[in-house]
Amino acid sequence: MSEHTASAESVLRVAAKNPVAQGVVALTLAHPEGRRLPDWAPGAHIDLMLPNGVTRQYSLCGDRWDARTYRVAVLREPHGRGGSAYVHDHLAVGDLVGIGGPRNNFRMVPSSRYLFLAGGIGITPLLPMIRQADSIAADWHLLYGGRTRDTMAFGDELARYGERVSLVPQDEMGRLNLDAATDAAAAGAKVYACGPVPLLDALASRATSWPEGALRLERFVPREQPAPVRDSPFDVELARSGRTVTVTPQQSVLDALRAAGVGVLSSCREGTCGTCETTVLAGEPDHRDSVLDDGERAADDCMLVCVSRSCSDRLVLDL
């Protein structure tokens, strides 16, 4: 993900750092002066701005009613770009980190029934949802898959829910049974899933026959996109100033705006974090993100300018 593109809204101190599975550490973050932190809801994430200049997004996985601390969990990525390695090898208790957010692109909608599916570190955004569902006495179940039992974070924490939680280590039990998701959706459950690309793509392909809005996915990496709708320049009109910026085929909308001196907050530059979401007042965006659902795309009233483009000759943005 990008470096030095998100704006730090606060600086927090690493209050604790604990291993929670093989290759996974949990960080507890608190204000240096013990101040209350901004409220958040299940599904939210923060930008973590590390001392080495790298910015990464991590789901909040602690207690949303704890107003003094945030918790995130970081998987060591052997082939990553330095963020997780820094957290594991260098970040220490007492260090200061910049924080952006919280932001939420994975909101939990009200329902009497939920099915949660997690693959690996994808358990993190689902933990607060499970607590929420349990607190309102909803009918819920978690299917949680991982390579091996010792790589599956927060197993001890989930044990208190008993049979509502099904741990599925692949080396012992094989892959997750996605038929359960289809059955749950047919019975009226909301299905929330986070994990590796093959799992999410398999669920998305099944969900074409499910009731609208039954499936919500959180992606840590961008999904593959077809070629842009158009390969010619288009204009972006800035409604607040009346200026017009031309976007060439070689530029992203975000880069064109920044080249013109227009400040837009961004972070991942991959269409996965939602930081650069911008209101669209006119025109038809070519949505190329991994955040918006089908209904939000059909509304055409917002876009992620780091990756999305235009189907029309002109877009009017609320900038």
Side-chain angles (χ1 to χ4, degrees), residues 154-203:
F154 304 111
D156 292 344
E157 190 171 310
L158 291 166
R160 68 186 182 95
Y161 296 114
E163 294 182 355
R164 287 183 179 271
V165 173
S166 297
L167 299 183
V168 187
Q170 186 174 341
D171 65 334
E172 300 175 26
M173 305 170 66
R175 298 182 184 276
L176 289 174
N177 177 12
L178 299 188
D179 289 341
T182 299
D183 294 342
K190 299 296 185 185
V191 180
Y192 282 79
C194 185
V197 171
L199 170 65
L200 301 188
D201 286 349
L203 283 169

Coordinates of all heavy atoms in Angstrom, one line a residue, residues 154-203:
F154 N -6.8 -15.8 17.5 CA -7.9 -15.6 18.4 C -8.8 -16.8 18.6 O -10.0 -16.7 19.0 CB -8.8 -14.4 17.9 CG -8.0 -13.2 17.7 CD1 -7.8 -12.6 16.4 CD2 -7.5 -12.5 18.8 CE1 -7.1 -11.5 16.3 CE2 -6.8 -11.3 18.7 CZ -6.6 -10.8 17.4
G155 N -8.3 -18.0 18.4 CA -9.0 -19.2 18.7 C -9.5 -19.3 20.1 O -10.6 -19.7 20.4
D156 N -8.6 -19.0 21.1 CA -8.9 -19.0 22.5 C -10.0 -18.0 22.8 O -10.9 -18.4 23.6 CB -7.7 -18.7 23.3 CG -6.6 -19.8 23.3 OD1 -6.9 -20.9 22.8 OD2 -5.5 -19.5 23.6
E157 N -10.0 -16.9 22.2 CA -11.0 -15.9 22.4 C -12.4 -16.3 21.9 O -13.4 -16.0 22.5 CB -10.6 -14.6 21.7 CG -11.4 -13.4 22.1 CD -10.8 -12.1 21.5 OE1 -9.6 -11.9 21.8 OE2 -11.5 -11.3 20.9
L158 N -12.4 -17.1 20.8 CA -13.6 -17.5 20.2 C -14.2 -18.7 20.9 O -15.4 -19.0 20.7 CB -13.4 -17.9 18.7 CG -13.1 -16.7 17.8 CD1 -12.5 -17.2 16.5 CD2 -14.4 -15.9 17.6
A159 N -13.4 -19.4 21.7 CA -13.8 -20.7 22.3 C -15.0 -20.5 23.2 O -15.8 -21.4 23.4 CB -12.7 -21.3 23.1
R160 N -15.2 -19.3 23.8 CA -16.2 -19.0 24.7 C -17.6 -19.1 24.1 O -18.6 -19.2 24.8 CB -16.1 -17.7 25.4 CG -16.2 -16.4 24.6 CD -15.9 -15.2 25.3 NE -16.0 -14.0 24.6 CZ -17.1 -13.2 24.7 NH1 -18.2 -13.6 25.4 NH2 -17.2 -12.1 24.0
Y161 N -17.6 -19.0 22.7 CA -18.9 -19.1 22.0 C -19.4 -20.5 21.7 O -20.5 -20.7 21.2 CB -18.9 -18.3 20.7 CG -18.6 -16.8 20.9 CD1 -17.4 -16.2 20.5 CD2 -19.6 -16.0 21.5 CE1 -17.2 -14.8 20.7 CE2 -19.3 -14.6 21.7 CZ -18.1 -14.1 21.3 OH -17.9 -12.7 21.5
G162 N -18.6 -21.5 22.1 CA -19.0 -22.9 22.0 C -19.3 -23.3 20.5 O -18.5 -23.0 19.6
E163 N -20.4 -23.9 20.4 CA -20.8 -24.5 19.1 C -21.2 -23.5 18.0 O -21.3 -23.9 16.8 CB -21.9 -25.6 19.2 CG -21.5 -26.8 20.1 CD -22.6 -27.8 20.2 OE1 -23.7 -27.5 19.7 OE2 -22.4 -28.9 20.8
R164 N -21.3 -22.3 18.4 CA -21.6 -21.2 17.4 C -20.3 -21.0 16.4 O -20.5 -20.4 15.4 CB -21.9 -19.9 18.0 CG -23.3 -19.9 18.6 CD -23.6 -18.5 19.2 NE -24.9 -18.4 19.7 CZ -26.0 -18.1 19.1 NH1 -26.0 -17.9 17.8 NH2 -27.2 -18.0 19.7
V165 N -19.2 -21.5 16.9 CA -17.9 -21.3 16.2 C -17.5 -22.6 15.6 O -17.3 -23.6 16.4 CB -16.9 -20.6 17.0 CG1 -15.5 -20.6 16.3 CG2 -17.3 -19.2 17.4
S166 N -17.2 -22.7 14.3 CA -16.6 -23.9 13.7 C -15.2 -23.6 13.2 O -15.1 -22.8 12.2 CB -17.5 -24.4 12.6 OG -18.8 -24.8 13.1
L167 N -14.2 -24.1 13.8 CA -12.8 -23.9 13.3 C -12.5 -25.0 12.4 O -12.7 -26.2 12.7 CB -11.8 -23.9 14.5 CG -12.0 -22.9 15.6 CD1 -10.8 -23.0 16.6 CD2 -12.0 -21.5 15.0
V168 N -12.0 -24.7 11.2 CA -11.7 -25.6 10.1 C -10.3 -25.5 9.7 O -10.0 -24.9 8.6 CB -12.7 -25.4 8.9 CG1 -12.6 -26.5 7.9 CG2 -14.1 -25.3 9.4
P169 N -9.3 -26.1 10.4 CA -7.9 -26.1 9.9 C -7.9 -27.0 8.7 O -8.3 -28.2 8.7 CB -7.2 -26.7 11.1 CG -8.1 -26.7 12.3 CD -9.5 -26.7 11.7
Q170 N -7.3 -26.5 7.6 CA -7.3 -27.2 6.4 C -6.5 -28.5 6.4 O -6.9 -29.5 5.8 CB -6.7 -26.3 5.2 CG -6.8 -26.9 3.9 CD -6.3 -26.0 2.8 OE1 -6.3 -24.8 3.0 NE2 -6.0 -26.5 1.6
D171 N -5.4 -28.6 7.2 CA -4.6 -29.8 7.3 C -5.4 -30.9 8.0 O -5.0 -32.1 7.9 CB -3.3 -29.5 7.9 CG -3.4 -29.1 9.4 OD1 -4.4 -28.5 9.8 OD2 -2.4 -29.3 10.1
E172 N -6.4 -30.5 8.8 CA -7.1 -31.5 9.5 C -8.5 -31.9 8.9 O -9.0 -33.0 8.9 CB -7.4 -31.1 11.0 CG -6.2 -30.8 11.8 CD -6.5 -30.2 13.2 OE1 -7.7 -30.4 13.6 OE2 -5.7 -29.5 13.7
M173 N -9.1 -30.8 8.3 CA -10.6 -31.0 7.9 C -10.8 -30.5 6.5 O -12.0 -30.6 6.1 CB -11.4 -30.1 8.9 CG -11.2 -30.5 10.4 SD -12.0 -29.4 11.5 CE -13.7 -29.7 11.1
G174 N -9.8 -30.1 5.8 CA -10.1 -29.7 4.4 C -10.5 -28.2 4.4 O -10.4 -27.5 5.3
R175 N -11.1 -27.8 3.2 CA -11.5 -26.5 3.0 C -12.9 -26.2 3.6 O -13.7 -27.1 3.9 CB -11.6 -26.1 1.5 CG -10.2 -26.3 0.8 CD -10.3 -25.9 -0.6 NE -9.0 -26.0 -1.3 CZ -8.0 -25.1 -1.3 NH1 -8.2 -24.0 -0.6 NH2 -6.9 -25.4 -1.9
L176 N -13.2 -24.9 3.7 CA -14.5 -24.5 4.2 C -15.6 -25.0 3.3 O -15.5 -25.0 2.1 CB -14.6 -23.0 4.3 CG -13.8 -22.3 5.4 CD1 -13.9 -20.8 5.3 CD2 -14.3 -22.7 6.8
N177 N -16.8 -25.4 3.9 CA -17.9 -25.8 3.1 C -18.8 -24.6 2.8 O -19.5 -24.1 3.6 CB -18.7 -26.8 3.9 CG -20.0 -27.3 3.2 OD1 -20.2 -27.0 2.0 ND2 -20.9 -27.9 3.9
L178 N -18.7 -24.2 1.5 CA -19.4 -23.0 1.1 C -20.9 -23.2 0.9 O -21.7 -22.3 0.7 CB -18.8 -22.4 -0.1 CG -17.3 -21.9 0.1 CD1 -16.8 -21.2 -1.2 CD2 -17.1 -21.1 1.3
D179 N -21.3 -24.5 0.9 CA -22.7 -24.8 0.8 C -23.5 -24.2 2.0 O -24.6 -23.8 1.8 CB -23.0 -26.3 0.7 CG -22.5 -26.9 -0.6 OD1 -22.4 -26.2 -1.6 OD2 -22.3 -28.1 -0.7
A180 N -22.8 -24.1 3.1 CA -23.4 -23.6 4.3 C -23.8 -22.1 4.1 O -24.8 -21.6 4.6 CB -22.5 -23.7 5.5
A181 N -22.9 -21.4 3.3 CA -23.2 -20.0 3.0 C -24.5 -19.9 2.2 O -25.3 -19.0 2.4 CB -22.0 -19.3 2.4
T182 N -24.6 -20.7 1.2 CA -25.7 -20.7 0.3 C -27.0 -21.0 1.1 O -28.0 -20.3 0.9 CB -25.5 -21.7 -0.9 OG1 -24.4 -21.3 -1.6 CG2 -26.8 -21.7 -1.8
D183 N -26.9 -22.0 1.9 CA -28.1 -22.4 2.7 C -28.5 -21.2 3.7 O -29.7 -20.9 3.9 CB -27.8 -23.6 3.6 CG -27.6 -24.8 2.7 OD1 -28.0 -24.8 1.5 OD2 -27.0 -25.8 3.2
A184 N -27.5 -20.6 4.3 CA -27.8 -19.5 5.2 C -28.4 -18.3 4.5 O -29.4 -17.7 5.0 CB -26.5 -19.0 5.9
A185 N -27.9 -18.0 3.3 CA -28.4 -16.8 2.5 C -29.9 -17.1 2.1 O -30.8 -16.3 2.2 CB -27.6 -16.6 1.3
A186 N -30.2 -18.4 1.8 CA -31.5 -18.8 1.4 C -32.5 -18.7 2.5 O -33.7 -18.4 2.4 CB -31.5 -20.2 0.8
A187 N -31.9 -18.8 3.8 CA -32.8 -18.8 5.0 C -32.9 -17.4 5.5 O -33.5 -17.2 6.6 CB -32.2 -19.7 6.0
G188 N -32.3 -16.4 4.8 CA -32.5 -15.0 5.2 C -31.3 -14.4 6.0 O -31.4 -13.3 6.5
A189 N -30.3 -15.2 6.1 CA -29.1 -14.6 6.9 C -28.3 -13.6 6.1 O -28.3 -13.7 4.8 CB -28.2 -15.8 7.3
K190 N -27.7 -12.7 6.8 CA -26.7 -11.9 6.1 C -25.3 -12.6 6.3 O -25.0 -13.0 7.3 CB -26.6 -10.5 6.8 CG -27.9 -9.7 6.8 CD -28.3 -9.3 5.4 CE -29.5 -8.4 5.3 NZ -30.0 -8.2 3.9
V191 N -24.6 -12.7 5.1 CA -23.3 -13.4 5.1 C -22.2 -12.4 5.0 O -22.2 -11.6 4.0 CB -23.3 -14.4 3.9 CG1 -22.0 -15.1 3.9 CG2 -24.5 -15.4 4.0
Y192 N -21.3 -12.4 6.0 CA -20.2 -11.5 6.0 C -18.9 -12.3 5.9 O -18.8 -13.3 6.6 CB -20.1 -10.7 7.3 CG -21.1 -9.5 7.3 CD1 -22.4 -9.7 7.5 CD2 -20.7 -8.2 7.0 CE1 -23.3 -8.6 7.5 CE2 -21.5 -7.1 6.9 CZ -22.9 -7.4 7.2 OH -23.8 -6.3 7.1
A193 N -18.0 -12.0 5.0 CA -16.9 -12.8 4.7 C -15.6 -12.0 4.5 O -15.7 -10.9 3.9 CB -17.1 -13.7 3.5
C194 N -14.5 -12.5 5.0 CA -13.2 -11.8 4.8 C -12.1 -12.9 4.8 O -12.2 -13.8 5.6 CB -12.9 -10.8 5.9 SG -11.4 -9.8 5.6
G195 N -11.2 -12.8 3.8 CA -10.2 -13.8 3.7 C -9.5 -13.7 2.4 O -9.5 -12.7 1.7
P196 N -8.8 -14.8 2.0 CA -8.0 -14.8 0.7 C -8.9 -14.6 -0.5 O -10.1 -15.0 -0.5 CB -7.3 -16.1 0.7 CG -8.1 -17.0 1.7 CD -8.7 -16.1 2.7
V197 N -8.3 -14.2 -1.6 CA -9.1 -14.0 -2.8 C -9.9 -15.2 -3.3 O -11.0 -15.0 -3.7 CB -8.1 -13.5 -3.9 CG1 -8.8 -13.4 -5.3 CG2 -7.5 -12.1 -3.6
P198 N -9.3 -16.4 -3.4 CA -10.1 -17.5 -3.9 C -11.4 -17.7 -3.1 O -12.4 -18.1 -3.7 CB -9.1 -18.7 -3.8 CG -7.8 -18.1 -3.8 CD -7.9 -16.8 -3.1
L199 N -11.3 -17.6 -1.8 CA -12.5 -17.7 -0.9 C -13.6 -16.7 -1.3 O -14.8 -17.0 -1.5 CB -12.2 -17.6 0.5 CG -13.3 -17.6 1.5 CD1 -14.2 -18.8 1.5 CD2 -12.8 -17.3 2.9
L200 N -13.2 -15.4 -1.4 CA -14.1 -14.4 -1.6 C -14.7 -14.5 -3.1 O -15.9 -14.2 -3.3 CB -13.5 -13.0 -1.4 CG -12.9 -12.8 0.0 CD1 -12.5 -11.3 0.2 CD2 -13.9 -13.2 1.1
D201 N -13.8 -14.8 -4.0 CA -14.3 -15.0 -5.4 C -15.3 -16.1 -5.5 O -16.3 -16.0 -6.2 CB -13.2 -15.2 -6.4 CG -12.4 -13.9 -6.6 OD1 -12.8 -12.8 -6.2 OD2 -11.3 -14.0 -7.2
A202 N -15.1 -17.2 -4.8 CA -16.0 -18.3 -4.8 C -17.3 -17.9 -4.2 O -18.4 -18.3 -4.7 CB -15.4 -19.5 -4.1
L203 N -17.3 -17.2 -3.2 CA -18.6 -16.7 -2.6 C -19.3 -15.8 -3.5 O -20.5 -15.8 -3.6 CB -18.3 -16.0 -1.2 CG -18.0 -17.0 0.0 CD1 -17.4 -16.2 1.1 CD2 -19.2 -17.7 0.4

